[in-house]
């Protein structure tokens, strides 16, 4: 309905923030880390993970600091998305370029999540019913069924498919979640976080039971020697965090320590990645770019452990991938709507329909690995690492006084995104933050702090989050 204004609660607490950020970092890439450790060795990937994790946390905190310098957003009263920040500090020309980079960053993560979920569902259907079918395009066209596991990421090998049984099952689960907003999705994020720790624990147990073979994971592997950028790109792809930070801050509770939440999320996610890579590579001979669950299904196709692997094949895409995809779709729509680049209907099309169309030629074979490597080097590095640092560099030049031309352009932006914020004084829905009373006071952010007219005691009580950074 035109002019409709929705209302959402600004009460995502610390636990909710952890679940949101960790689920933004972990996702489809975690199942390919054992293959990375197996082919490239353990030394360089682990060092790269640590370095990228530190850079990722710093870029997020720089971005949050930049948000506080946006006019009228000292205490995050406005719905300031990533692209609006670029508009503020760089102007209109870079603003439109950032939309393309932001779109490519989020959608590449979505596409990888969709493909990994579909492949896992197909593997589960094959293990449960003895076969899975789909509509093939090339070289086999028409109805195409497979009845044996091959160890490849997709049971259909390299045959181009239009739709598979796993894709249909995936659609049944994902469609209801796509209509929710970020607040409604947070309970699913919390469940996903608990399950992520549980699934990594299961991978460690299965790997230990199957047997650990140190020769499967050298210190330096052939993949590192032949293509170091591919190794770096695969690690970068797994830290798509900064592009979701503004949307999280816009809905988080004012009492949340953003620095602690960011650092905890980055450290815990890095530990999860390294544990999965080490144990998976030590136990299973994973080909380059392979999915760990597909390799497990191929190797452990009978016995009691096979049932556990089938459980992981079915539960992982539901509880990990399906919870992260709707959040990325929401963030894309918010950025398109707040910029008024398109209507709500077209924003839904670009955010929700396009990634599924792109997935069609990539859902089989190893094409998704090349896609992820290139998009991470182009979009993820620019959006999640380079842009936040560049924005922070310009803080001292644009923090107090903005050019009138930029202010005029910002007047045309829908900085509320069609949403009205409110701060809840009652319990947080899933963090159980009790008895928190917060009043958010506005002031003129183009004037020095001492000119606001507030008394010294009132100024000291202002709930500024920049102190937490």
């Amino acid at each position: 309905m035109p002019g409709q204004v929705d209302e959402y609660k600004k009460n995502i607490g610390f636990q909710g923030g952890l679940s949101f950020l960790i689920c933004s970092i972990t996702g489809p890439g975690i199942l390919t880390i054992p293959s990375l450790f197996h082919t490239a060795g353990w030394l360089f990937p682990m060092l790269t993970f640590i370095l990228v994790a530190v850079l990722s946390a710093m870029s997020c905190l720089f971005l949050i600091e930049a948000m506080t310098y946006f006019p009228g957003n000292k205490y995050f009263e406005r719905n300031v998305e990533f692209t609006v920040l670029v508009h503020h500090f760089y102007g209109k020309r870079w603003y439109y370029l950032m939309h393309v980079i932001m779109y490519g960053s989020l959608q590449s993560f979505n596409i990888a999540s969709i493909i990994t979920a579909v492949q896992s569902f197909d593997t589960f259907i094959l293990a449960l019913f003895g076969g899975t079918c789909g509509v093939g395009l090339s070289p086999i066209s028409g109805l195409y069924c497979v009845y044996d596991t091959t160890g490849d990421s997709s049971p259909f090998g390299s045959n181009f498919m239009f739709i598979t049984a796993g894709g249909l099952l995936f659609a049944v689960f994902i469609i209801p979640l796509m209509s929710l907003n970020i607040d409604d999705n947070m309970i699913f994020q919390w469940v996903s976080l608990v399950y992520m720790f549980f699934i990594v624990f299961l991978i460690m147990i299965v790997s230990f039971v199957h047997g650990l073979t140190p020769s499967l994971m050298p210190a330096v592997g052939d993949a590192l020697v032949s293509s170091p950028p591919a190794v770096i790109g695969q690690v970068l792809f797994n830290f798509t965090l900064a592009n979701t930070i503004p949307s999280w801050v816009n809905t988080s509770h004012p009492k949340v320590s953003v620095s602690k939440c960011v650092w905890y999320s980055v450290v815990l996610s890095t530990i999860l990645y390294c544990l999965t890579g080490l144990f998976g590579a030590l136990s299973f001979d994973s080909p380059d770019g392979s999915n760990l669950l597909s390799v497990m299904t191929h190797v452990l196709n009978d016995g009691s452990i096979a049932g556990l692997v089938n459980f992981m094949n079915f539960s992982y895409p539901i509880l990990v991938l399906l919870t992260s995809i709707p959040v990325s779709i929401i963030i894309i729509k918010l950025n398109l709507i707040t910029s008024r680049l398109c209507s709500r209907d077209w924003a839904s099309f670009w955010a929700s329909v396009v990634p599924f169309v792109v997935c069609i030629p990539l859902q089989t074979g190893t094409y998704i690995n090349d896609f992820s490597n290139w998009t991470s080097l182009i979009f993820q590095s620019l959006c999640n690492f380079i842009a936040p640092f560049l924005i922070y560099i310009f803080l001292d030049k644009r923090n107090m006084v903005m050019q009138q031309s930029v202010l005029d352009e910002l007047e045309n932006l829908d900085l509320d995104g069609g949403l009205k914020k409110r701060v809840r004084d009652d319990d947080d829905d899933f963090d159980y933050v009790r008895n928190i009373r917060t009043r958010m006071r506005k002031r003129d952010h183009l004037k020095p702090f001492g000119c606001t007219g507030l008394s010294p005691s009132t100024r000291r009580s202002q709930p500024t989050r920049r102190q937490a950074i």
Side-chain angles (χ1 to χ4, degrees):
M1 179 181 298
Q4 180 180 2
V5 177
D6 301 322
E7 192 173 25
Y8 67 93
K9 296 169 290 186
K10 187 176 171 63
N11 70 336
I12 295 180
F14 183 78
Q15 291 86 350
L18 278 181
S19 61
F20 181 87
L21 297 181
I22 293 178
C23 292
S24 298
I25 301 173
T26 58
I30 197 169
L31 294 180
T32 62
I33 300 304
S35 172
L36 177 65
F37 277 60
H38 173 70
T39 57
W42 62 267
L43 181 60
F44 185 74
M46 286 196 67
L47 293 176
T48 306
F49 264 113
I50 295 173
L51 176 61
V52 171
V54 173
L55 292 176
S56 178
M58 293 177 63
S59 67
C60 292
L61 296 179
F62 288 165
L63 197 61
I64 294 171
E65 178 71 10
M67 292 178 65
T68 65
Y69 282 82
F70 191 91
N73 199 51
K74 172 68 176 180
Y75 307 116
F76 308 106
E77 300 95 329
R78 311 187 80 170
N79 186 29
V80 179
E81 293 295 334
F82 198 118
T83 51
V84 177
L85 276 180
V86 175
H87 193 291
H88 173 19
F89 290 106
Y90 284 89
K92 195 171 185 179
R93 183 178 303 175
W94 291 103
Y95 165 72
Y96 289 124
L97 178 60
M98 193 62 216
H99 264 291
V100 177
I101 297 174
M102 178 82 169
Y103 184 83
S105 173
L106 289 170
Q107 288 295 37
S108 61
F109 185 83
N110 267 352
I111 291 168
S113 298
I114 294 170
I115 291 174
T116 303
V118 171
Q119 292 173 346
S120 297
F121 277 138
D122 276 317
T123 303
F124 168 75
I125 294 173
L126 174 61
L128 185 64
F129 298 104
T132 183
C133 298
V135 179
L137 296 176
S138 176
I140 301 176
S141 59
L143 184 63
Y144 177 41
C145 297
V146 293
Y147 303 96
D148 296 311
T149 60
T150 61
D152 295 331
S153 297
S154 173
F156 297 95
S158 58
N159 194 83
F160 286 99
M161 303 296 294
F162 176 72
I163 188 67
T164 67
L168 294 175
L169 184 59
F170 171 80
V172 171
F173 285 102
I174 191 63
I175 291 177
L177 296 177
M178 293 172 65
S179 61
L180 303 178
N181 58 35
I182 290 181
D183 292 303
D184 296 330
N185 267 286
M186 289 311 302
I187 186 62
F188 299 105
Q189 302 295 314
W190 176 246
V191 173
S192 177
L193 174 64
V194 175
Y195 175 80
M196 177 59 72
F197 283 94
F198 177 66
I199 198 71
V200 172
F201 175 75
L202 288 183
I203 290 174
M204 295 169 60
I205 295 298
V206 171
S207 300
F208 184 80
V209 172
H210 182 252
L212 304 179
T213 308
S215 60
L216 291 176
M217 188 180 64
V220 178
D222 296 335
L224 176 61
V225 178
S226 60
S227 182
V231 178
I232 298 175
Q234 191 167 348
V235 176
L236 287 176
F237 181 79
N238 292 292
F239 281 90
T240 56
L241 182 59
N243 53 17
T244 62
I245 285 293
S247 296
W248 164 61
V249 172
N250 289 335
T251 53
S252 60
H253 198 281
K255 292 293 185 180
V256 173
S257 172
V258 292
S259 61
K260 183 186 296 186
C261 198
V262 168
W263 279 112
Y264 276 34
S265 301
V266 169
V267 171
L268 290 175
S269 299
T270 304
I271 293 174
L272 292 176
Y273 274 120
C274 291
L275 288 177
T276 304
L278 290 172
F279 279 87
L282 283 171
S283 184
F284 298 94
D285 187 358
S286 303
D288 186 20
S290 61
N291 182 313
L292 179 61
L293 291 182
S294 298
V295 174
M296 284 183 171
T297 304
H298 178 65
V299 175
L300 307 172
N301 52 15
D302 56 6
S304 58
I305 300 182
L308 184 60
V309 174
N310 288 336
F311 164 76
M312 290 191 288
N313 268 315
F314 179 73
S315 58
Y316 181 84
I318 296 177
L319 297 177
V320 174
L321 302 179
L322 288 180
T323 57
S324 61
I325 295 172
V327 173
S328 297
I329 291 176
I330 293 169
I331 294 173
I332 293 173
K333 288 196 292 187
L334 280 176
N335 276 273
L336 293 175
I337 292 172
T338 55
S339 62
R340 293 185 177 176
L341 289 178
C342 56
S343 64
R344 284 181 175 270
D345 292 337
W346 277 107
S348 298
F349 170 80
W350 289 109
S352 307
V353 178
V354 171
F356 291 92
V357 176
V358 176
C359 284
I360 293 176
L362 302 175
Q363 60 184 316
T364 55
T366 59
Y367 308 106
I368 184 59
N369 300 321
D370 296 331
F371 174 84
S372 299
N373 290 336
W374 281 106
T375 55
S376 63
L377 291 173
I378 298 173
F379 296 113
Q380 308 294 10
S381 60
L382 289 173
C383 186
N384 294 286
F385 297 95
I386 298 177
F389 283 100
L390 290 178
I391 291 174
Y392 188 77
I393 290 173
F394 277 77
L395 281 178
D396 60 335
K397 298 180 180 180
R398 302 293 292 278
N399 56 357
M400 289 296 179
V401 180
M402 297 174 59
Q403 296 179 4
Q404 185 61 42
S405 60
V406 177
L407 287 171
D408 293 339
E409 291 173 359
L410 289 173
E411 289 298 323
N412 295 322
L413 300 178
D414 182 9
L415 295 180
D416 294 326
L419 300 173
K420 182 190 297 182
K421 288 188 177 181
R422 61 190 176 97
V423 181
R424 286 283 294 266
D425 290 338
D426 57 353
D427 296 347
D428 187 298
D429 288 347
F430 41 85
D431 280 0
Y432 305 103
V433 180
R434 301 182 182 277
N435 301 321
I436 294 180
R437 294 185 177 182
T438 306
R439 292 183 62 192
M440 301 179 66
R441 300 178 176 88
K442 297 183 180 181
R443 67 182 183 89
D444 188 348
H445 299 273
L446 300 182
K447 293 182 179 180
F449 192 85
C451 299
T452 58
L454 299 176
S455 64
S457 60
T458 305
R459 288 201 297 268
R460 284 195 298 269
S461 66
Q462 289 292 331
T464 172
R465 267 200 231 166
R466 295 174 59 199
Q467 298 174 356
I469 300 177

